[in-house]
Amino acid sequence: GRGGYDPKPDKVFGVAFRTKPESSTGVPHILEHSVLCGSRKYPSRDPFAHLLKGSLQTFLNAMTYPDRTVYPVASRNRADFRNLMDVYLDAVFHPRAVEEEGWWVLRQEGWRYDVIDDEDDGGRALATNGTKQRNLAGNSDRADFEFKGVVYSEMKGAYSNPEDLLERSTQSLLFPDNSYHYDSGGDPAIIPTLTREEFVAFHKKYYHPTNARLFVAGDESDVYHALSVADRYMSPMGYNPQSRKDSVIHYQQRTFKQPVRERKPFAAAASEEGEDDGTTEGHMLCVTWLLNTQPLTPLMELTWIVLDNLLLGKPSSPLTKALEDSNLGEETIGGGLDDELLQSTFAIGMKGVNKREDVAVLEDLIMDTLHKLDSDGFSDDEIASSMNTIEFQLREGGGGLRGMEIFLSALAKWNYDISPKDALVYEDALKLLKEEIDKTGSNTFQQLIHDSLLGNNHCVVMELFPSTTLEADQVQDTKIQITRAKSKMSDSEYQHNIDEAAKLKKLQDTEETPEIIATNPALSISDIDPTPIEYPIHADENAFKSGINVVSHEVASSGIAYVDLGLDVSMIPYEDAILLPSLISLLNEAGTSDMSAADFRNYVGKSTGGVYATLEIMSVKPTGWDDDIKVHPGVNMLTMLFIKGKCTIEKISDLFPVFTKILTDINLDDSQDILRNALKSHLSSKKSSVASRGHSFANRRIRGRYSARNFIDEKLYGVSSLESYAAILESVESDWGQFVLRLKNLREAILNGSRNGMVLNLTGDRTVLDAIMVEAGDFLVNSLPWDLGHPAPPTPDFRSVDHPWIASAEKEMIQSNPVRDEGIVVSTQVAYVAEGGRLYDVGDPVSASVSVVSHYLTTGYMWDVIRAKNGAYGAYSQFSSHDGIATLFTYRDPNTPEDTLDAFHGAASTILEDAKSSLIRDDNAAITTSIIGTIGGLDGSALSANDAGWVSLVRYLRGESALSRQRWRKEMLETSVDDFVDYAKRLKSWKTPSIAIVASQSALNDMEREMSMFKV
């Protein structure tokens, strides 16, 4: 790159197998986890975890699709890239999981019977080979079992999510005759029927080079190296055309005479104690069509992508708007077009439908809206807007992981032996579609609606209804399933399960020998670039004498201009801050004084690559702290409204007028419906996020108890925001006149703000920047409102004074989120358990070594104990040097919360033991590994032009110097065993830690500890 900035793109390698499920045991998914647990050349128990610990990887994962299993890796460092590639190739072709010695992998990753330890010695005694077991002929004496396993927990979590459940059930019905009928991820009720023989046979059948597709992106030497390594693995295995034949996915024909209808329950929490079966959850309805029974031509594929955008791309698009305006439900679901498999589908519906009779009304509305579009078509502006939006997305491409994007997109064709180019090269199809539209206008889209949606009976109409008893029923069903299985076991089978569980536990508790650990590939500190990545930046104070700072970044951007305008909002009173997201929703969705919402948004789509408003809250360093790393007082922050836009170089003159309209001309008065829909939809999706991503809410909730800055963040975005937004929705519906007045006052106050609180951020190639500068001067001087008759007081320098919201936030914090233990009630079969507290006080210097220790905890103790042993899908340690707060939390955790909290409490002692043993072995190799992994996370992927410009601006606004980044990196590289000891001691003496747990009512009730309850 020019300007001394080298984006060093990520090198990408991937291997994909076509894996065709023949049941819902989840064998493709369990195998995807299992092959990464040791192989011929890398015999440790978890080479994957080792790479997470200590590689510079920028992507390291594996994914199971309904018909393929994909193993992609990426790194920006050549030595590291070669290691990753070798580990992955050895894992997929020679995994130990399918050999005798790897018997335990299926048990750990897939499913197993675990003995439930009763507090009396009953359960425990069974694991020893004492006399007690001889008398087990009578079934009633047998120990209690439960199911455990990483994939088992992951899928229990997935099936607890109603939208996920709806999608899986629909897919099964839509494809009665081909392999999409089965769930490749695994149905928790069926996973425990998977046998070892089926598991081994599946690998043998599909994991063959002839059934593999390999991908590499990098420079010439990376490509040649990858080919020679792959050849070394694959040639000895020979050619086996049968493996490719066996994996062919057959087309599901359109066989339905009329739509298939199904009603299924989903688990919902009861509204309050004592009510009969009542719940506030609504019904869900989704209609899904099967679109093609032969390969789509590239033109047809692109036409569908554009039609999908026309129907559902924006809140003002006709199908989205019809559903949301109907007030029948809270949020649209289904997501429209899905085109990554052999056959594409189109799905649309709503969740949060209040009354059962409204479900039928909603179905009619979907069909009526499509009929109307079939006859009336779309306007030229709608088509131009969608065409430009899609073309912009195709041309822009992603950031550093572009190679990954190409690999995963290519597989949508390549997996079916169609040329991968068909998924990647769009110029011809685009040209054809433009010609088609010039000739027949909207007709090509109307035809698709007519033939593939309205005239197509091969569709599924799926309704999910809330049940307050289902959760308990499912727990009961699992118990019955286990009891039945147990009663059918002979004494020796029963004993075998008991022994195997004990053997697995013992194996997991045994430390691996230094010789085995040494087989994992390792980088050395010399492989790491000692200097941090810096991005180009040029700041013009008071540019064009406009009173506004202009910051610019010269980076390669393929002729696309990225423009961000920031305005200070600190003058907004604290009690009105909660209204800012509502104002922003309207800036993003409403019309202007002379254009309807649909017309204005089409205009924006036609002339730009997208423009949107967002609220940014960022901590800044106190004055004079530029080069230091100390815990911030938490009172210095910026609160800014940003308008972010992008366009091609020839449209720059259209971009700034759009900014002006969004800031000054949005018609707030007539936007009641738009805001009501936005709020409903926001509340609905936030509610489901709490149940499916509870760990991030629990973590945010804890962090909000120890700092006012974090408290504001939690209030706006955390679980407590559900109450505020529900109250706002109430005011929008009951007194719009009063409410819209408040929004207008907010807007006026922001526009009247002082110009020294504004910033214009520009990113692009040199030619792009020169072109923007021509327009920017005019915009800043003539188009932004000047002080309307009374000069605004200058925006304070928030690095040297407290932000005005802080004092009120501190007061409110004591009331609404004091330091206390809290349960957050949702309906789920898994839990999200978090605990945290302050490790460092304000002003304490923090060494970068803390992030190395926190990374060591996440990828070591938390992974080994909570994921591998206890079967949670994720377990993390997080520390922030900004606020001095540390948290530990789990994701899709099947254990009782108390057991997980006990596991958390073992973390510090484990680090102290390691400091006397494993951390100081082999010249501190384990510490080096953690340093490397932490640096990998710090540097991350190569950024897209847009992100590079944004990251660079944030560093500038925060007052972080390049020197502080250099110092941070140097401290990281010098982390020693003493730093580990220091962190562990702090963790042992956590100041007033507290917990937050997202779980079901019954799991929280079983805890028997003083907790305040928060019901979602």
Side-chain angles (χ1 to χ4, degrees):
R2 282 164 304 179
Y5 162 63
D6 172 17
K8 257 223 308 249
D10 303 58
K11 304 168 186 302
V12 176
F13 172 77
V15 56
F17 298 94
R18 189 161 66 196
T19 45
K20 175 179 173 175
E22 282 154 32
S23 67
S24 294
T25 57
V27 62
H29 185 190
I30 294 169
L31 201 52
E32 171 233 305
H33 281 241
S34 300
V35 300
L36 295 165
C37 295
S39 60
R40 189 185 291 175
K41 186 172 168 187
Y42 302 104
S44 75
R45 278 205 298 267
D46 207 336
F48 178 75
H50 183 81
L51 292 171
L52 283 177
K53 275 182 193 155
S55 124
L56 296 170
Q57 54 86 14
T58 55
F59 191 95
L60 182 74
N61 210 336
M63 293 88 95
T64 304
Y65 290 76
D67 59 13
R68 53 190 179 271
T69 310
V70 184
Y71 296 89
V73 292
S75 175
R76 297 165 79 180
N77 174 291
R78 174 165 287 132
D80 187 47
F81 180 61
R82 294 182 171 185
N83 289 343
L84 295 172
M85 189 161 61
D86 203 50
V87 170
Y88 264 46
L89 282 166
D90 205 61
V92 296
F93 290 121
H94 307 299
R96 261 198 331 201
V98 299
E99 309 292 339
E100 271 317 294
E101 57 179 313
W103 64 269
W104 56 274
V105 180
L106 171 60
R107 298 286 157 246
Q108 173 180 292
E109 298 297 318
W111 75 276
R112 64 178 179 274
Y113 292 111
D114 243 13
V115 178
I116 298 178
D117 281 343
D118 285 325
E119 289 318 307
D120 59 37
D121 68 359
R124 289 219 171 76
L126 293 169
T128 61
N129 280 324
T131 49
K132 177 146 188 204
Q133 277 140 6
R134 307 248 154 74
N135 328 335
L136 283 172
N139 271 341
S140 55
D141 290 355
R142 291 185 169 181
D144 283 334
F145 283 167
E146 61 182 336
F147 289 133
K148 277 281 179 74
V150 176
V151 170
Y152 183 75
S153 303
E154 178 186 349
M155 297 315 293
K156 256 174 84 167
Y159 274 67
S160 290
N161 174 345
E163 263 180 89
D164 211 336
L165 178 68
L166 183 137
E167 209 173 294
R168 287 166 198 275
S169 312
T170 297
Q171 181 176 305
S172 182
L173 289 170
L174 196 63
F175 295 97
D177 312 310
N178 78 355
S179 56
Y180 295 149
H181 180 65
Y182 302 109
D183 187 347
S184 63
D187 175 338
I190 300 174
I191 291 174
T193 63
L194 175 65
T195 66
R196 169 133 191 108
E197 293 68 38
E198 291 167 327
F199 174 75
V200 173
F202 195 88
H203 180 267
K204 191 171 173 342
K205 186 170 181 180
Y206 296 123
Y207 279 60
H208 190 279
T210 314
N211 189 38
R213 294 293 177 263
L214 265 72
F215 176 89
V216 58
D219 58 33
E220 206 173 328
S221 71
D222 297 324
V223 174
Y224 280 116
H225 177 80
L227 291 173
S228 71
V229 174
D231 182 55
R232 216 170 49 231
Y233 276 100
M234 290 162 69
S235 289
M237 296 176 73
Y239 178 58
N240 173 9
Q242 197 56 42
S243 68
R244 198 66 183 165
K245 278 201 191 98
D246 286 344
S247 68
V248 167
I249 310 294
H250 297 289
Y251 278 94
Q252 167 68 50
Q253 296 308 316
R254 285 189 186 174
T255 52
F256 299 175
K257 299 285 177 280
Q258 64 250 11
V260 167
R261 299 173 176 282
E262 175 85 35
R263 293 189 80 229
K264 282 186 88 138
F266 70 92
S271 14
E272 283 305 325
E273 295 302 304
E275 285 182 29
D276 331 321
D277 270 6
T279 174
T280 51
E281 292 282 338
H283 295 240
M284 294 166 76
L285 171 87
C286 193
V287 186
T288 308
W289 288 267
L290 175 64
L291 301 183
N292 60 310
T293 54
Q294 60 192 44
L296 291 173
T297 62
L299 170 61
M300 192 46 94
E301 187 116 14
L302 186 63
T303 311
W304 265 115
I305 290 170
V306 176
L307 175 59
D308 181 49
N309 187 273
L310 278 166
L311 291 170
L312 300 168
K314 321 187 252 291
S316 56
S317 301
L319 190 50
T320 308
K321 185 171 160 47
L323 298 192
E324 296 198 336
D325 283 353
S326 73
N327 247 338
L328 290 168
E330 291 170 352
E331 183 188 9
T332 56
I333 56 171
L337 179 69
D338 184 341
D339 59 358
E340 31 174 47
L341 301 178
L342 179 70
Q343 291 176 272
S344 297
T345 55
F346 187 89
I348 181 67
M350 290 195 94
K351 62 193 237 192
V353 180
N354 277 330
K355 303 196 284 288
R356 182 177 173 185
E357 51 271 31
D358 284 347
V359 171
V361 180
L362 173 61
E363 188 190 336
D364 290 343
L365 175 66
I366 293 172
M367 300 320 257
D368 293 346
T369 308
L370 290 172
H371 274 293
K372 194 172 156 13
L373 290 164
D374 171 28
S375 57
D376 300 354
F378 300 93
S379 71
D380 292 350
D381 275 351
E382 285 175 292
I383 294 172
S385 172
S386 285
M387 283 292 285
N388 186 57
T389 301
I390 298 300
E391 182 171 354
F392 198 96
Q393 286 166 3
L394 291 169
R395 293 196 192 290
E396 183 180 29
L401 284 172
R402 184 82 182 109
M404 188 69 63
E405 241 177 70
I406 291 171
F407 174 44
L408 298 178
S409 315
L411 283 169
K413 296 287 170 231
W414 204 15
N415 195 53
Y416 314 109
D417 304 318
I418 299 167
S419 164
K421 279 207 329 223
D422 282 6
L424 305 169
V425 180
Y426 55 85
E427 292 294 352
D428 293 349
L430 194 58
K431 198 162 144 274
L432 288 170
L433 183 54
K434 283 178 175 169
E435 286 167 7
E436 184 68 36
I437 290 168
D438 285 344
K439 282 206 293 269
T440 65
S442 164
N443 198 32
T444 175
F445 302 111
Q446 283 159 271
Q447 202 62 52
L448 272 190
I449 292 176
H450 189 86
D451 298 344
S452 299
L453 300 177
L454 295 172
N456 173 9
N457 277 332
H458 197 103
C459 73
V460 170
V461 181
M462 173 69 77
E463 178 195 344
L464 254 53
F465 60 90
S467 156
T468 52
T469 55
L470 186 66
E471 201 177 283
D473 292 346
Q474 286 170 331
V475 171
Q476 201 48 41
D477 289 345
T478 307
K479 282 195 175 134
I480 292 167
Q481 189 183 7
I482 292 175
T483 308
R484 285 185 61 184
K486 211 165 57 179
S487 68
K488 290 186 180 150
M489 290 174 197
S490 65
D491 285 359
S492 64
E493 285 168 335
Y494 169 75
Q495 191 55 48
H496 174 73
N497 281 312
I498 295 268
D499 295 345
E500 211 172 54
K503 237 164 73 181
L504 176 65
K505 223 176 174 51
K506 190 171 168 219
L507 181 95
Q508 289 171 333
D509 288 336
T510 312
E511 235 187 272
E512 295 194 286
T513 64
E515 295 76 47
I516 289 282
I517 293 173
T519 62
N520 286 316
L523 296 173
S524 58
I525 294 287
S526 61
D527 288 311
I528 291 179
D529 193 336
T531 55
I533 299 169
E534 294 293 337
Y535 301 99
I537 182 164
H538 175 78
D540 264 332
E541 316 268 321
N542 189 11
F544 310 103
K545 302 204 169 40
S546 64
I548 294 175
N549 293 348
V550 173
V551 181
S552 59
H553 318 271
E554 188 186 329
V555 293
S557 71
S558 324
I560 293 174
Y562 297 96
V563 180
D564 312 303
L565 174 72
L567 300 92
D568 168 57
V569 297
S570 64
M571 77 297 286
I572 300 296
Y574 174 73
E575 54 278 11
D576 285 345
I578 194 75
L579 301 180
L580 284 167
S582 294
L583 176 63
I584 286 170
S585 288
L586 291 180
L587 298 186
N588 287 330
E589 295 179 21
T592 61
S593 61
D594 58 350
M595 289 170 105
S596 70
D599 289 344
F600 179 58
R601 300 303 154 178
N602 285 333
Y603 168 72
V604 175
K606 201 165 65 176
S607 38
T608 71
V611 180
Y612 67 98
T614 153
L615 175 65
E616 298 287 343
I617 300 181
M618 49 184 99
S619 305
V620 293
K621 286 191 162 185
T623 306
W625 285 26
D626 302 43
D627 303 338
D628 301 331
I629 315 269
K630 297 194 281 207
V631 174
H632 296 181
V635 296
N636 308 97
M637 65 179 193
L638 293 179
T639 46
M640 296 181 84
L641 165 70
F642 268 92
I643 310 285
K644 301 180 177 185
K646 53 190 178 184
C647 65
T648 52
I649 196 163
E650 61 277 4
K651 297 274 175 104
I652 290 171
S653 55
D654 293 337
L655 187 67
F656 285 112
V658 169
F659 275 43
T660 308
K661 277 190 157 320
I662 287 177
L663 279 171
T664 61
D665 192 36
I666 292 296
N667 175 352
L668 298 176
D669 288 303
D670 298 340
S671 302
Q672 182 179 11
D673 288 352
I674 292 175
L675 185 55
R676 186 191 57 219
N677 294 346
L679 283 165
K680 276 188 158 174
S681 179
H682 177 78
L683 274 163
S684 163
S685 67
K686 178 145 285 179
K687 266 188 191 156
S688 17
S689 294
V690 177
S692 59
R693 298 187 46 257
H695 59 302
S696 61
F697 289 90
N699 182 31
R700 191 172 238 156
R701 189 79 181 137
I702 290 173
R703 290 176 175 277
R705 294 172 188 154
Y706 301 92
S707 116
R709 154 75 189 88
N710 292 352
F711 174 78
I712 291 169
D713 198 50
E714 207 284 328
K715 178 182 160 84
L716 287 171
Y717 305 112
V719 71
S720 61
S721 72
L722 285 166
E723 286 182 350
S724 337
Y725 292 129
I728 290 174
L729 179 58
E730 174 59 31
S731 337
V732 168
E733 289 180 323
S734 59
D735 192 352
W736 175 246
Q738 189 51 46
F739 189 83
V740 81
L741 202 61
R742 290 177 72 188
L743 290 186
K744 286 177 169 172
N745 291 339
L746 289 189
R747 176 168 69 183
E748 190 173 336
I750 295 169
L751 288 174
N752 277 343
S754 166
R755 290 179 157 242
N756 73 323
M758 299 182 190
V759 63
L760 183 69
N761 189 49
L762 313 173
T763 306
D765 313 302
R766 182 74 267 154
T767 45
V768 166
L769 292 177
D770 292 343
I772 307 181
M773 278 306 187
V774 178
E775 305 287 335
D778 181 52
F779 170 68
L780 295 178
V781 176
N782 301 321
S783 301
L784 273 181
W786 282 94
D787 318 310
L788 307 176
H790 41 84
T795 305
D797 171 7
F798 290 118
R799 296 186 58 196
S800 50
V801 301
D802 290 10
H803 190 285
W805 294 356
I806 293 292
S808 318
E810 280 173 343
K811 283 199 201 79
E812 190 188 1
M813 182 171 148
I814 298 160
Q815 253 27 81
S816 73
N817 194 14
V819 174
R820 62 173 176 205
D821 295 342
E822 188 171 43
I824 297 163
V825 185
V826 296
S827 176
T828 175
Q829 299 182 47
V830 287
Y832 305 86
V833 182
E835 180 167 21
R838 195 170 263 299
L839 283 197
Y840 288 80
D841 285 320
V842 168
D844 284 353
V846 180
S847 153
S849 61
V850 291
S851 50
V852 176
V853 186
S854 180
H855 174 79
Y856 175 80
L857 259 183
T858 293
T859 54
Y861 179 80
M862 301 288 279
W863 179 281
D864 299 339
V865 173
I866 295 175
R867 179 178 161 121
K869 271 210 279 229
N870 298 358
Y873 186 34
Y876 310 90
S877 149
Q878 192 187 70
F879 173 80
S880 160
S881 58
H882 288 315
D883 57 25
I885 297 164
T887 47
L888 301 172
F889 51 94
T890 61
Y891 174 63
R892 291 193 184 168
D893 183 346
N895 303 285
T896 64
E898 291 294 359
D899 285 353
T900 294
L901 291 168
D902 288 346
F904 288 169
H905 301 152
S909 325
T910 303
I911 295 178
L912 293 172
E913 283 162 30
D914 292 351
K916 300 195 201 88
S917 56
S918 58
L919 281 166
I920 49 180
R921 257 186 233 131
D922 299 334
D923 199 17
N924 301 351
I927 297 179
T928 302
T929 297
S930 265
I931 292 171
I932 291 167
T934 311
I935 293 261
L938 178 70
D939 290 350
S941 243
L943 297 184
S944 64
N946 193 9
D947 291 342
W950 179 253
V951 166
S952 185
L953 173 74
V954 169
R955 290 173 168 186
Y956 164 82
L957 292 174
R958 283 194 169 177
E960 288 171 2
S961 67
L963 183 66
S964 73
R965 287 189 285 276
Q966 183 60 60
R967 185 179 284 179
W968 184 254
R969 194 178 189 88
K970 187 169 181 292
E971 284 175 1
M972 217 175 248
L973 291 167
E974 291 167 356
T975 302
S976 72
V977 71
D978 298 344
D979 296 315
F980 279 78
V981 171
D982 176 65
Y983 192 87
K985 285 183 174 158
R986 285 176 186 269
L987 205 49
K988 260 189 156 14
S989 56
W990 239 346
K991 302 183 175 102
T992 60
S994 61
I995 62 181
I997 296 166
V998 176
S1000 66
Q1001 186 75 61
S1002 59
L1004 292 166
N1005 290 347
D1006 291 346
M1007 286 182 66
E1008 297 176 0
R1009 67 158 74 204
E1010 269 305 295
M1011 287 188 0
S1012 85
M1013 291 294 183
F1014 184 102
K1015 196 140 201 175
V1016 170

